[in-house]
Amino acid sequence: MAATPALDIDPLLDDPATRIIVCCGAGGVGKTTTAAALGVRAAERGRKVVVLTIDPARRLAQSMGIDELDNTPRRVKGIDETAGGELSAMMLDMKRTFDEIVEAHADAERARAILENPFYQSLSAGFAGTQEYMAMEKLGQLRARDEWDLIVVDTPPSRSALDFLDAPKRLGSFLDGKFIRVLMAPAKVGGRAGMKFLNVGMSMMTGTLSKLMGGQLLRDVQTFVAAMDTMFGGFRTRADATYRLLQAPGTAFLVVAAPERDALREAAYFVERLAAEEMPFAGLVLNRVHGSGAPQLSAERALAAAENLDEGGIVDQGAGNAGVRDSSAPSPTAEPTPDETSDSQGGSEGQSGTRTVEQLTAGLLRLHAERMHVLAREQRTRDRFTALHPEVAVTEVAALPGDVHDLAGLRAIADRLAAREAVEPVEYDRSDQPVG
């Protein structure tokens, strides 16, 4: 099997035709850190970058030295701007983005009616799918401003990272659904005729809805729908435009995964889904990959050496007491001389020190054996993915000893991201250890 193609990050970041990079993947695999590291590297290589995160944990703000991120891009200090680049960062405020849309596309009176509507307040604060749709809206707004030549997007932390792609379709289905058409009908007919139509033609339906939703909630929904009627088409149009933007050649999707079975299984689904949606896919970032400074020492050999040390080095023992007894040797009952006593005590202390070193060495050998088992498991998991998708370019990011909490840590991640190395296939023997 040939080596998996390597994902070359720097040409992707340097290409002026690359305007949007979307980092997607399962939760907890390092999407936010990867997006931030890409932003730092691109900015320090001369691009004008904004990183949009939808991560509520605010790790991005902390790592970039910003007290707080909000719905407005903020300049990141500490970036090397000698190449002419700069970096800004922001965190999606779902409700504020929704409010901005209302304020921008409705007159003052209608906008106030919408913003004060109880149903709208619930919808904008946490209705299922609103976050993903608002992320699409914010991406469209940033791209339309043309203030940055590269936008890096950290997709929402949801059960399926590709909810980000589904949001426009779900919104369209919601707006075209029978429930919305029923609620919009009175507003479309207008005035008393509309009320008569509602009260007579659909009395049974609204009665049922009132029981299910409550009379006040139903009235709030109807008021909201009537106020938003002229805006629904704009929502759908902008969502479709942003979706086409994601399919454009200037966009690149990076799937981020950890070398674990569930994460790579989901990564394979993402790859297939992106291909089905005709999204421009750049490659896979395999994050938090473990390594070893002594890969030639197998787990079996390390464990055998540790056991040998624990048993007192039996293999290395001398000939013991065998041999001709010297008649001049002291009797077992003879008292030892002061010199002999001193030698014996010194030998005991030396043996104790040697034993401590042997115990530490045995412990390190066992830790090495555990690490080699982890490496073998990660390698097998990765090989299963590459067997299914041999065409996918991959870059591996070595695991850091601690969490990333500043720009220096992000640069370290970026350096690992840009370390272009092809992934070579590895054979395994029956012990699940790499051969050779």
Side-chain angles (χ1 to χ4, degrees):
M1 183 173 64
T4 301
L7 173 60
D8 210 347
I9 289 293
D10 283 343
L12 179 67
L13 297 178
D14 295 343
D15 187 355
T18 303
R19 303 299 303 275
I20 298 172
I21 294 177
V22 181
C23 297
C24 59
V29 297
K31 293 193 303 293
T32 300
T33 302
T34 298
L38 289 170
V40 170
R41 189 169 185 87
E44 295 188 334
R45 293 175 69 87
R47 302 296 297 274
K48 193 173 182 181
V49 188
V50 60
V51 177
L52 168 63
T53 183
I54 303 96
D55 186 354
R58 301 181 184 272
R59 291 189 300 271
L60 182 63
Q62 297 169 0
S63 64
M64 291 186 170
I66 300 175
D67 293 336
E68 186 177 0
L69 289 181
D70 54 23
N71 220 38
T72 302
R74 296 181 181 272
R75 188 82 168 265
V76 177
K77 299 178 181 178
I79 297 296
D80 182 358
E81 299 181 352
T82 55
E86 65 180 57
L87 178 63
S88 299
M90 63 178 295
M91 186 175 74
L92 177 74
D93 184 330
M94 181 176 63
K95 187 179 188 313
R96 184 59 207 149
T97 300
F98 210 152
D99 291 349
E100 290 172 354
I101 296 169
V102 172
E103 292 166 351
H105 296 90
D107 58 63
E109 183 178 352
R110 179 167 293 196
R112 185 173 60 255
I114 295 171
L115 296 177
E116 293 175 354
N117 183 272
F119 179 74
Y120 167 79
Q121 293 173 359
S122 299
L123 175 71
S124 60
F127 195 73
T130 306
Q131 185 183 51
E132 288 79 10
Y133 177 77
M134 290 305 143
M136 296 281 280
E137 280 276 357
K138 182 56 67 175
L139 173 59
Q141 291 175 10
L142 293 173
R143 184 67 182 86
R145 287 168 63 176
D146 208 27
E147 185 176 344
W148 298 273
D149 55 31
L150 178 62
I151 303 169
V152 182
V153 182
D154 166 34
T155 52
S158 55
R159 184 176 181 272
S160 171
L162 290 183
D163 285 348
F164 183 70
L165 298 179
D166 291 332
K169 292 182 179 178
R170 287 204 307 273
L171 181 72
S173 298
F174 173 70
L175 297 179
D176 292 333
K178 292 181 179 179
F179 177 65
I180 288 295
R181 290 203 303 271
V182 166
L183 295 176
M184 288 175 64
K188 287 184 178 297
V189 175
R192 295 180 179 177
M195 291 304 297
K196 183 178 181 181
F197 176 70
L198 177 63
N199 292 332
V200 177
M202 291 183 293
S203 58
M204 292 181 62
M205 180 175 292
T206 54
T208 302
L209 289 173
S210 294
K211 291 178 182 178
L212 293 174
M213 302 171 61
Q216 184 59 49
L217 177 57
L218 178 59
R219 286 190 292 274
D220 290 339
V221 173
Q222 289 169 340
T223 303
F224 165 76
V225 170
M228 291 285 287
D229 183 21
T230 58
M231 296 180 59
F232 283 155
F235 276 107
R236 188 183 298 103
T237 300
R238 288 191 304 277
D240 291 343
T242 304
Y243 194 79
R244 289 193 299 271
L245 182 65
L246 291 175
Q247 291 178 313
T251 300
F253 279 83
L254 291 175
V255 174
V256 183
E260 300 167 1
R261 183 176 60 182
D262 291 343
L264 277 174
R265 182 187 296 117
E266 200 157 352
Y269 165 71
F270 296 155
V271 170
E272 293 163 4
R273 176 69 189 281
L274 289 169
E277 298 287 338
E278 299 181 349
M279 296 291 174
F281 174 56
L284 172 72
V285 174
L286 198 57
N287 209 8
R288 301 169 186 162
V289 177
H290 293 91
S292 171
Q296 69 279 5
L297 178 60
S298 70
E300 285 187 342
R301 290 173 58 195
L303 288 174
E307 290 174 3
N308 183 39
L309 289 170
D310 284 340
E311 292 171 0
I314 294 175
V315 175
D316 298 327
Q317 292 289 334
N321 294 326
V324 179
R325 184 178 180 85
D326 188 351
S327 59
S328 64
S331 168
T333 59
E335 293 291 329
T337 65
D339 289 343
E340 289 172 337
T341 302
S342 176
D343 290 344
S344 175
Q345 290 174 346
S348 176
E349 291 176 359
Q351 290 173 0
S352 176
T354 301
R355 188 66 191 137
T356 300
V357 172
E358 290 175 347
Q359 290 172 338
L360 289 173
T361 304
L364 290 173
L365 286 167
R366 286 192 169 87
L367 286 175
H368 175 77
E370 291 178 7
R371 172 57 63 89
M372 293 305 291
H373 282 307
V374 170
L375 263 63
R377 184 173 66 250
E378 290 182 355
Q379 179 82 40
R380 291 194 304 273
T381 304
R382 187 197 67 194
D383 288 348
R384 281 194 288 268
F385 174 86
T386 54
L388 290 172
H389 299 283
E391 77 289 351
V392 173
V394 179
T395 186
E396 294 188 356
V397 180
L400 292 178
D403 292 334
V404 174
H405 58 274
D406 54 18
L407 285 176
L410 291 177
R411 288 191 185 96
I413 293 292
D415 289 341
R416 286 163 168 76
L417 277 166
R420 185 178 184 275
E421 295 182 1
V423 180
E424 297 290 342
V426 175
E427 296 180 359
Y428 294 90
D429 59 21
R430 292 182 180 179
S431 65
D432 285 333
Q433 298 302 317
V435 176

